Amino acid sequence: MLPLDQWKDQTLFLSQIPQRALQKSVFPLGDILKKDVKKIAESIGLDRIAKKKESMGICFIGKRNFQSFVEQYIEQKPGNFVDVETGEIVGAHKGAHYWTIGQRTHLSGLDKAYFVSSFDITSKTVYVAKGTDHPALFFETLFTEPVHWIHRPPRDLIQNQMCDVGFRYQHVHPISPCTLTLSGGNSLIVSLAQPMRSIAAGQYAVFYKDNECLGSARILRTGPSLYVLNCKDRVKIAKGFS
């Protein structure tokens, strides 16, 4: 079940845990806000714990630069940043593995910030879009690996091969409506009610219903971005008038 403190909700991270483990687990702080937990800790003399600075991001890396950390384990594979609209080279990078969808590139000498929109691993090209709200950064469909249901799949999904549930793929995002469609056994096609930014392969799609976390599935790939879909629509319109 979702906790009272939505900002500290851990269901996204626990969504792959099997039922046999969860049924023997107790989460005593689920109905308490974290600020109130700290007050309780202070009241019983645990001031040092209550005032301890919280870890953010990838905690085991610490204060080290992430790209410098990656370089210790993966060799550089240089390539180009390419504008997704114009096809022009706008910069160079040390490897696509340093970047993720939606990340700001901090390329210098440009009139507007560029953000990573997609990759071509074969050519080592990282495609970038100008502006944080560019349509190339938004997706409305994604495809998953076989889903892990914590208890059981929704009844509608079993009976009708489709169902409406809540969706989240990042801890800080609110739960949003989506439609699930069974595809190839236990894999899913996830159709979002509203396009969402920076969805990437490797993230987990986590599903909710009636304040309960149902389970999750690893994202294999996204459907076309809004930019690609808009381009296709423009081509259809142009052909219609040709």
Side-chain angles (χ1 to χ4, degrees):
M1 302 296 289
L2 292 173
L4 178 65
D5 196 332
Q6 295 291 296
W7 180 250
K8 293 299 178 181
D9 176 19
Q10 299 295 303
T11 55
L12 185 141
F13 306 104
L14 297 172
S15 62
Q16 287 279 306
I17 303 297
Q19 179 69 22
R20 64 180 181 275
L22 287 174
Q23 66 185 3
K24 298 179 181 179
S25 303
V26 178
F27 299 93
L29 304 181
D31 296 325
I32 310 175
L33 297 175
K34 184 162 187 176
K35 64 181 182 65
D36 295 328
V37 174
K38 288 187 174 183
K39 289 179 181 178
I40 294 171
E42 290 174 354
S43 70
I44 59 176
L46 298 176
D47 298 64
R48 184 178 65 85
I49 301 299
K51 295 177 181 178
K52 185 178 179 180
K53 186 177 179 180
E54 297 184 28
S55 62
M56 304 294 288
I58 307 177
C59 55
F60 62 85
I61 290 179
K63 296 182 179 180
R64 288 176 291 179
N65 175 271
F66 178 72
Q67 294 197 358
S68 299
F69 172 78
V70 171
E71 285 177 358
Q72 299 177 42
Y73 304 95
I74 304 176
E75 64 180 11
Q76 295 183 12
K77 297 179 180 179
N80 293 318
F81 288 114
V82 174
D83 188 305
V84 70
E85 288 195 45
T86 66
E88 296 179 359
I89 296 174
V90 294
H93 63 78
K94 296 187 292 184
H97 54 275
Y98 291 100
W99 303 93
T100 189
I101 303 296
Q103 184 178 356
R104 184 172 178 173
T105 60
H106 294 287
L107 294 171
S108 60
L110 300 172
D111 60 341
K112 197 172 184 179
Y114 273 100
F115 297 81
V116 175
S117 64
S118 59
F119 305 95
D120 184 336
I121 301 301
T122 302
S123 65
K124 301 182 179 64
T125 298
V126 176
Y127 289 98
V128 291
K130 189 179 290 188
T132 186
D133 294 323
H134 193 284
L137 303 174
F138 288 81
F139 306 88
E140 56 187 9
T141 307
L142 55 98
F143 302 82
T144 78
E145 292 182 349
V147 62
H148 165 72
W149 301 112
I150 295 174
H151 183 43
R152 57 174 176 261
R155 182 177 301 174
D156 288 349
L157 189 64
I158 297 173
Q159 294 177 345
N160 306 317
Q161 307 295 295
M162 297 178 66
C163 70
D164 295 328
V165 298
F167 163 84
R168 182 161 58 184
Y169 70 103
Q170 288 184 341
H171 169 64
V172 296
H173 285 183
I175 297 171
S176 302
C178 77
T179 299
L180 305 182
T181 305
L182 281 176
S183 173
N186 198 29
S187 298
L188 297 171
I189 300 172
V190 182
S191 303
L192 306 176
Q194 295 291 331
M196 300 186 74
R197 187 183 186 279
S198 304
I199 300 175
Q203 293 175 315
Y204 276 81
V206 185
F207 308 113
Y208 299 84
K209 185 80 170 181
D210 298 329
N211 209 39
E212 178 184 354
C213 179
L214 302 176
S216 63
R218 185 173 179 270
I219 298 173
L220 278 175
R221 60 184 176 89
T222 61
S225 69
L226 292 189
Y227 174 70
V228 172
L229 292 173
N230 290 339
C231 287
K232 288 181 178 179
D233 288 341
R234 286 195 292 268
V235 169
K236 288 180 182 178
I237 292 171
K239 286 182 177 180
F241 285 93
S242 61

